[in-house]
Amino acid sequence: MTWQWIGLTIFSLTLLPAGLAMAAGWTPARLSARPTPVRAYGWAILALYAAAPLNAIPRLTGASPQVSLALTAVAGVVAVAGCLSAALSSLRRGRDRIQ
């Protein structure tokens, strides 16, 4: 139980602010020279972040095993969607750079 709180805290302190900033269009200084789709990466990071609370909160609140399993499955789908979003953004960026 303690590890789930620690993991949720770490994800909330790292991925959430970065994802929100990038989804709003803010680019870190070291990446400002690259033509990257910052908003798409921000939404991908937020989707990956959303998997952590969807998985941890039902377990921490003592929800039934069926609810925990259902939300863990939803978390997996959301995480896969975030990964696909990041991959498609990378492919789009690579294609735009070649042309």
Side-chain angles (χ1 to χ4, degrees), residues 38-74:
V38 175
R39 289 181 189 240
Y41 283 132
W43 285 109
I45 289 172
L46 287 175
L48 289 173
Y49 166 75
L54 280 172
N55 189 21
I57 290 174
R59 297 173 194 278
L60 292 171
T61 59
S64 69
Q66 293 83 10
V67 171
S68 293
L69 182 62
L71 288 176
T72 298
V74 170

